[in-house]
């Protein structure tokens, strides 16, 4: 094939994969609605594992940070019950609007509090949470230690944070990860949590398509 055609096709591929990666990091627009459904379906098992790892009690104050399609919000609302409060923190205004519609009753009852923010800058007071989960979000962080320090700041003594990530070697084989993802070794994430003062337990969910790691970080 002529080289100009090859270059053109490579450019098209790069643009498409950049769009996919951007949507995974910040779902928005009409395509974001489809991405939200895919995130809920694809991440359901990992989110359930993160909720189990966080093990919030009835009546607890908890957060799902970077909740995307919102599957984790439903799981946490069920776990903490009518006397608990779930904070949904999300950088995408479109996903926040979607959650406000889906969980309008829970928002009206003050059982669900939604706010724009990221793991690096949480719109929460110090020592306000009993537990927090964040699944498939740290790929989009520039400063992981600072984000772990934020988790430490917002958790109460005895609280638990769970960071969920796909196996880095497996993620590296996905076609979209070179386009804006930062894939960190599990040991690096564990080290950042330990450096923030957490005691960390690693749990691994087997694939397919590859293992998923849950880092259960407990604050003394």
């Amino acid at each position: 094939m002529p080289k100009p055609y090859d270059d053109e096709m490579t450019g098209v591929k790069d643009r498409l994969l950049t769009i996919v990666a951007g949507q995974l990091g910040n779902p928005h627009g009409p395509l974001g609605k489809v991405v939200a459904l895919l995130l809920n379906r694809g991440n359901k098992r990992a989110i359930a594992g993160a909720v189990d790892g966080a093990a919030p009690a009835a009546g607890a104050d908890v957060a799902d940070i970077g909740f995307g399609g919102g599957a984790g919000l439903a799981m946490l609302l069920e776990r903490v019950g009518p006397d608990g409060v779930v904070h949904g923190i999300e950088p995408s205004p479109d996903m926040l609007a979607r959650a406000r519609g889906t969980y309008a009753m829970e928002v009206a009852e003050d059982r669900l509090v939604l706010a724009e923010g990221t793991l690096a800058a949480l719109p929460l007071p110090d020592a306000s949470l009993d537990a927090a989960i964040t699944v498939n979000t740290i790929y989009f962080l520039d400063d992981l230690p600072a984000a772990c320090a934020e988790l430490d700041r917002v958790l109460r003594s005895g609280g638990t944070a769970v960071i969920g990530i796909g196996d880095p070697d497996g993620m590296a084989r996905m076609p979209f990860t070179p386009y804006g993802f930062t894939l960190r070794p599990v040991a690096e994430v564990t080290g950042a949590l330990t450096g923030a003062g957490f005691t960390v337990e690693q749990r691994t969910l087997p694939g397919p398509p590859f293992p998923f790691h849950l880092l259960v970080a407990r604050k003394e």
Side-chain angles (χ1 to χ4, degrees):
M1 292 184 184
K3 189 175 186 302
Y5 178 81
D6 290 344
D7 291 343
E8 181 180 349
M9 293 308 296
T10 298
V12 170
K13 175 186 174 184
D14 287 345
R15 288 192 292 274
L16 287 174
L17 291 175
T18 298
I19 291 171
V20 170
Q23 284 286 345
L24 291 172
N26 189 349
H28 58 278
L31 183 56
K33 297 177 181 179
V34 178
V35 171
L37 295 175
L38 294 176
L39 288 174
N40 280 347
R41 180 181 301 176
N43 292 338
K44 184 176 181 180
R45 189 168 67 103
I47 294 170
V51 172
D52 286 343
D61 295 305
V62 301
D64 186 352
I65 303 163
F67 60 77
L73 300 177
M75 295 181 196
L76 288 171
L77 283 164
E78 182 177 359
R79 288 291 287 259
V80 303
D83 296 324
V85 177
V86 176
H87 296 266
I89 312 299
E90 169 62 40
S92 168
D94 287 3
M95 293 301 98
L96 285 165
R98 183 179 187 275
R100 290 188 185 103
T102 302
Y103 301 104
M105 182 173 67
E106 291 82 358
V107 170
E109 293 173 346
D110 294 326
R111 294 182 55 221
L112 177 61
V113 180
L114 300 170
E116 186 171 350
T118 69
L119 187 57
L122 295 172
L124 295 167
D126 294 355
S128 57
L129 297 179
D130 299 299
I133 67 169
T134 186
V135 175
N136 286 333
T137 59
I138 68 166
Y139 318 126
F140 310 105
L141 288 174
D142 294 326
D143 191 339
L144 179 60
C148 292
E150 268 290 86
L151 285 173
D152 176 71
R153 179 184 68 79
V154 300
L155 281 172
R156 295 169 180 147
S157 179
T160 302
V162 181
I163 293 180
I165 59 171
D167 184 76
D169 291 336
M171 291 288 291
R173 296 193 294 270
M174 304 300 285
F176 49 79
T177 52
Y179 297 83
F181 282 60
T182 298
L183 303 179
R184 297 176 171 91
V186 175
E188 181 180 339
V189 184
T190 300
L193 287 166
T194 302
F198 291 100
T199 299
V200 183
E201 172 196 352
Q202 180 182 336
R203 302 180 184 180
T204 300
L205 303 175
F210 44 76
F212 194 88
H213 303 292
L214 297 168
L215 302 177
V216 181
R218 297 182 175 89
K219 180 175 179 177
E220 299 299 328

